[in-house]
């Protein structure tokens, strides 16, 4: 066994520079680093070995590697390693790492990066996000960053303490920004942004303040392809110190630091405000000149209206005066004519009246004569009639005398038959119960009778009755 | 007389009265009535005219002040 050991040692007594891919990295408690190295041919592992990096060498080798590559040694990385072969009689063959060439890894990383860029370019993704036109005002901001990152805090501070008084609504979609998991974590955060109900104006992807190691995720194809096709314009501020990352290339706008992103947003909004202000002043100046012009026009019109109105008023006044004059003149004319007519009528009236009077006088005279004649006739006839009546009256008087004589006679006769005169001559009237007794049989013996004389009466009772 | 009569109708009436008087179509009985009416119309027209002139001047003076 010892002999075999010797043989092996003598056979592999040199150190070898080997290119291998890291399949696994583990660090032992004592500070030793164990690498599992593989060689692949189209994803098929064709060789595999373990390599040890003892702690006393590790510090120097790893720090120089990290300084150059800005990467820690990790799974999937291709390394150019200086190895020596060790054979342990108990543990068997193993490789011991003497050095790692950072330049090779750097070149390898750069090659991968270039490949990523090429693929993105081929697919049209490199400038895809740049097609977005940023909204005039950026206010709703989705942020992919780490909550604890100093860069994130810087960004918020810068954004909020702006002198223009702009307000922002920002939402953090937290993600690991560094290390192996960063790529997947950012993609997850990106998906959350895209599913979020808020329609953001931009996506800001920022980091800073942490270690500058292990930022390879920003060169990964998958993440950058996704970022390029993000539904929002992407503003990057991932703070690479060396050259730009692929993320910076696919971003809509790349900025060095989170603070620079905030400044960019503020500047963008400021530009819009200035544009507005400019437009406002232009509108103002245009309005002023427009109004000025209109005022001038109005003054013109006003003059035309004034003149027109005045002319109208003057001509109307003239018309009224003319009308008034015409009425005056016409009225006087009418009155004068009426006067003349009246005079004529007066003269006519006088003439007519005279004629009428003459005629009436003539008629009157005629009537008078007629009346005179009539009166004469009437007098004659009346006299005649009166004489006749006189005669008749005379006759009547004669007749009356005869009648008077007759009356006297009759009177005398009446006087003769008056009971009083009979009573005077000694006759009396005997009455029973007021009735004159003319027959003897109308009285009975014992009855009360009254006998009237010319100057009184007496009552007697019948004692005897004779026939 | 109604004050609401328009200048236009007042003028028309006035014109017809003038025509009647000039044409001697009016009897003396009507004349004084017509002349009185014409005077009223004239007064109305003149008043309206004055008012209009004042209004116009006032309205336009507002423009001059600016």
């Amino acid at each position: 066994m010892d002999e075999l050991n010797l043989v092996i040692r003598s056979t592999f007594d040199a150190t070898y520079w080997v290119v291998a891919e890291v399949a696994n990295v583990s660090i032992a408690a004592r500070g030793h680093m164990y690498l599992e190295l593989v060689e692949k041919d189209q994803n098929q592992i064709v060789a595999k070995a373990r390599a040890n990096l003892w702690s006393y060498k590790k510090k120097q080798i790893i720090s120089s590697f990290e300084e150059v590559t800005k990467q820690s040694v990790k799974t999937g990385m291709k390394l150019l390693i200086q190895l020596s072969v060790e054979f342990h009689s108990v543990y068997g063959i193993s490789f011991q790492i003497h050095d790692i060439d950072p330049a090779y890894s750097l070149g390898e990383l750069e090659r991968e990066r270039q490949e990523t860029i090429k693929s993105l370019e081929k697919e049209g993704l490199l400038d895809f996000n740049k097609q977005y036109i940023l909204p005039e005002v950026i206010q709703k901001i989705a942020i992919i960053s780490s909550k604890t990152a100093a860069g994130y805090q810087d960004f918020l501070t810068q954004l909020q303490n702006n002198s223009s008084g702009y307000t922002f609504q920002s939402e953090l979609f937290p993600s690991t920004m560094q290390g192996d998991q960063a790529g997947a974590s950012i993609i997850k955060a990106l998906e959350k942004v895209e599913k979020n109900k808020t329609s953001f104006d931009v996506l800001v992807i920022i980091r800073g303040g942490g270690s500058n190691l292990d930022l390879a995720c920003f060169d990964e194809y998958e993440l950058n392809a996704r970022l390029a096709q993000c539904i929002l314009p992407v503003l990057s501020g991932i703070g690479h110190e060396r050259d730009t990352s692929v993320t910076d290339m696919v971003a809509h706008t790349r900025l060095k630091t989170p603070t620079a992103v905030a400044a960019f947003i503020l500047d963008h909004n400021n530009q819009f405000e200035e544009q507005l202000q400019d437009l406002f002043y232009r509108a103002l100046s245009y309005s002023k000149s427009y109004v000025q012009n209109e005022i001038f026009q109005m003054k013109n019109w006003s003059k035309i209206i004034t003149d027109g109105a005045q002319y109208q008023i003057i001509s109307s006044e003239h018309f009224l005066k003319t009308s008034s004059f015409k009425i005056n003149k016409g009225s006087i004319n009418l009155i004068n004519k009426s006067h003349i007519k009246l005079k004529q009528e007066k003269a006519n009236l006088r003439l007519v009246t005279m004629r009428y009077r003459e005629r009436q006088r003539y008629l009157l005279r005629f009537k008078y004569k007629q009346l005179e004649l009539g009166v004469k006739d009437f007098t004659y006839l009346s006299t005649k009639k009166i004489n006749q009546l006189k005669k008749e009256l005379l006759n009547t008087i004669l007749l009356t005398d005869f009648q008077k004589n007759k009356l006297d006679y009759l009177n005398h006769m009446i006087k003769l038959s008056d009971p009083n005169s009979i009573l005077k001559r000694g006759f009396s009237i005997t009455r029973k119960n007021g009735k004159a007794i003319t027959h003897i049989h109308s009285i009975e013996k014992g009855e009360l009778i009254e006998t009237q004389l010319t100057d009184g009466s007496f009552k007697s009772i019948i004692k005897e009755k004779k026939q | 007389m109604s004050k609401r009569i328009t200048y236009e109708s007042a003028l028309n009436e006035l014109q017809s009265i003038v025509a009647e008087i000039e044409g001697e179509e009016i009897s003396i009985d009507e004349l004084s009535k017509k002349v009185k009416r014409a005077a009223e119309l004239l007064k109305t027209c003149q008043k309206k005219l004055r008012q209009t002139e004042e209004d116009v001047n006032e309205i336009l003076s507002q423009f001059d002040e600016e």
Side-chain angles (χ1 to χ4, degrees):
Chain A
M1 285 288 268
D2 246 8
E3 256 177 65
L4 183 63
N5 200 356
L6 210 69
V7 170
I8 292 169
R9 240 182 229 167
S10 64
T11 311
F12 301 103
D13 61 346
T15 57
Y16 303 89
W17 283 98
V18 170
V19 172
E21 192 181 320
V22 180
N24 195 25
V25 183
S26 57
I27 292 166
R30 279 180 288 166
H32 307 311
M33 192 184 216
Y34 300 106
L35 296 180
E36 206 171 297
L37 301 173
V38 290
E39 189 180 337
K40 282 179 184 170
D41 182 13
Q42 292 175 343
N43 284 334
Q44 280 285 313
I45 296 171
V46 294
K48 192 175 177 180
R50 258 164 61 101
N52 312 322
L53 179 59
W54 304 122
S55 61
Y56 71 96
K57 270 192 174 173
K58 187 188 131 197
K59 200 178 174 189
Q60 187 263 319
I61 291 170
I62 292 300
S63 68
S64 92
F65 180 86
E66 286 182 350
E67 202 183 332
V68 175
T69 62
K70 306 286 178 196
Q71 299 284 319
S72 54
V73 174
K74 62 192 171 198
T75 308
M77 207 170 246
K78 278 195 173 162
L79 302 173
L80 178 59
I81 315 170
Q82 191 182 24
L83 297 169
S84 60
V85 181
E86 300 289 324
F87 182 76
H88 195 277
S89 42
V90 179
Y91 300 108
I93 282 183
S94 71
F95 299 122
Q96 197 180 325
I97 298 169
H98 295 278
D99 203 359
I100 300 171
D101 182 6
Y104 173 82
S105 291
L106 187 66
E108 209 36 47
L109 283 168
E110 184 57 30
R111 194 183 55 75
E112 279 172 18
R113 191 170 165 271
Q114 289 305 327
E115 258 170 35
T116 304
I117 292 168
K118 233 179 245 172
S119 303
L120 288 170
E121 196 170 21
K122 221 163 105 189
E123 287 161 36
L125 293 178
L126 210 56
D127 290 330
F128 193 79
N129 198 265
K130 293 183 182 66
Q131 293 173 74
Y132 285 120
I133 294 164
L134 289 176
E136 272 90 356
V137 176
I138 298 169
Q139 267 188 311
K140 292 177 193 158
I141 304 166
I143 306 166
I144 293 181
S145 186
S146 160
K147 201 173 184 177
T148 52
Y152 171 60
Q153 295 306 327
D154 291 347
F155 175 78
L156 286 185
T157 310
Q158 176 87 0
L159 208 57
Q160 279 154 11
N161 296 343
N162 68 82
S163 57
S164 308
Y166 301 140
T167 55
F168 296 93
Q169 295 166 267
S170 64
E171 190 172 341
L172 176 68
F173 295 84
S175 165
T176 309
M177 300 303 284
Q178 186 153 8
D180 290 348
Q181 304 308 311
S185 177
I186 291 170
I187 287 170
K188 221 181 223 174
L190 185 61
E191 281 168 355
K192 275 188 195 157
V193 171
E194 291 186 330
K195 275 182 198 155
N196 198 283
K197 278 176 208 155
T198 317
S199 53
F200 293 104
D201 297 323
V202 288
L203 169 65
V204 168
I205 175 160
I206 45 176
R207 61 158 298 284
S211 154
N212 277 330
L213 275 184
D214 296 332
L215 301 176
C217 61
F218 297 111
D219 286 337
E220 279 171 15
Y221 171 80
E222 181 64 20
L223 171 63
N224 286 310
R226 295 288 284 269
L227 275 176
Q229 296 172 76
C230 176
I231 57 166
L232 297 170
V234 176
L235 307 184
S236 71
I238 47 182
H240 265 262
E241 293 210 334
R242 66 171 171 95
D243 50 11
T244 52
S245 68
V246 178
T247 298
D248 284 329
M249 293 172 83
V250 300
H252 180 280
T253 304
R254 71 162 182 241
L255 295 139
K256 276 219 152 93
T257 59
T259 316
V261 176
F264 171 80
I265 290 169
L266 290 173
D267 187 53
H268 177 84
N269 289 357
N270 214 19
Q271 263 180 34
F272 177 69
E273 194 179 2
E274 271 169 17
Q275 217 171 339
L276 274 186
Q277 207 113 46
D278 181 50
L279 283 172
F280 172 70
Y281 284 125
R282 270 162 68 187
L284 199 69
S285 117
Y286 174 77
S287 303
K288 266 186 188 163
S289 87
Y290 185 80
V291 166
Q292 213 61 43
N293 193 35
E294 287 303 301
I295 286 171
F296 179 72
Q297 290 280 355
M298 277 301 124
K299 277 191 178 154
N300 252 359
W301 281 113
S302 137
K303 190 167 160 41
I304 289 164
I305 289 163
T306 316
D307 292 353
Q310 257 159 15
Y311 173 77
Q312 187 84 18
I313 285 164
I314 287 164
S315 66
S316 297
E317 249 173 1
H318 177 74
F319 179 81
L320 287 181
K321 269 181 193 156
T322 313
S323 295
S324 160
F325 178 72
K326 278 179 182 170
I327 287 165
N328 235 345
K329 209 179 133 193
S331 300
I332 289 165
N333 183 37
L334 266 171
I335 289 165
N336 280 346
K337 284 207 169 155
S338 297
H339 267 309
I340 291 162
K341 222 180 197 173
L342 218 61
K343 266 181 193 160
Q344 275 178 355
E345 290 300 327
K346 209 168 155 187
N348 276 347
L349 192 66
R350 198 174 289 157
L351 199 68
V352 168
T353 313
M354 244 158 72
R355 274 194 201 139
Y356 182 78
R357 207 188 295 154
E358 282 308 308
R359 186 166 165 71
Q360 290 300 321
R361 200 177 286 162
Y362 169 76
L363 274 172
L364 220 62
R365 222 176 281 153
F366 179 70
K367 289 273 177 192
Y368 180 75
K369 277 237 169 90
Q370 269 186 336
L371 197 65
E372 226 171 28
L373 282 172
V375 168
K376 267 180 189 162
D377 275 0
F378 183 73
T379 315
Y380 172 74
L381 281 170
S382 296
T383 317
K384 212 171 151 186
K385 205 166 186 182
I386 285 167
N387 285 341
Q388 198 185 339
L389 282 169
K390 257 183 189 167
K391 250 179 206 163
E392 278 174 19
L393 197 63
L394 217 61
N395 288 341
T396 314
I397 289 166
L398 287 175
L399 196 70
T400 312
D401 280 347
F402 172 75
Q403 291 293 336
K404 201 182 172 185
N405 289 340
K406 207 175 178 180
L407 270 175
D408 284 344
Y409 170 75
L410 284 172
N411 208 15
H412 181 73
M413 291 301 283
I414 289 163
K415 269 180 182 167
L416 283 180
S417 36
D418 183 25
N420 262 337
S421 54
I422 297 169
L423 288 174
K424 272 175 186 167
R425 277 183 279 156
F427 297 101
S428 63
I429 305 163
T430 307
R431 290 184 179 97
K432 189 182 97 180
N433 297 334
K435 263 186 178 170
I437 304 160
T438 51
H439 296 286
I440 197 71
H441 52 74
S442 57
I443 53 166
E444 295 296 328
K445 196 180 154 191
E447 274 179 343
L448 186 68
I449 52 171
E450 189 177 10
T451 308
Q452 189 181 356
L453 305 177
T454 188
D455 48 356
S457 63
F458 62 90
K459 286 176 181 172
S460 44
I461 294 163
I462 300 166
K463 281 181 169 172
E464 207 182 315
K465 188 170 119 172
K466 286 175 193 166
Q467 231 153 355
Chain B
M1 189 183 71
S2 166
K3 290 262 170 193
R4 294 235 176 89
I5 188 166
T6 63
Y7 185 87
E8 180 92 20
S9 63
L11 204 63
N12 283 339
E13 198 178 338
L14 191 63
Q15 261 174 312
S16 72
I17 291 173
V18 169
E20 279 178 279
I21 289 174
E22 280 194 322
E24 297 173 15
E25 294 163 11
I26 286 176
S27 70
I28 291 297
D29 290 329
E30 282 178 306
L31 183 61
S32 69
K33 221 162 90 190
K34 287 277 181 187
V35 171
K36 201 174 157 196
R37 175 71 178 156
E40 277 174 353
L41 291 168
L42 267 166
K43 216 164 131 193
T44 306
C45 286
Q46 261 161 350
K47 217 167 162 188
K48 278 188 193 269
L49 215 53
R50 285 273 155 269
Q51 191 57 51
T52 307
E53 195 176 17
E54 274 172 32
D55 288 350
V56 166
N57 285 340
E58 201 192 311
I59 291 160
L60 293 172
S61 73
Q62 289 169 0
F63 286 97
D64 291 339
E65 280 165 21
E66 282 167 17

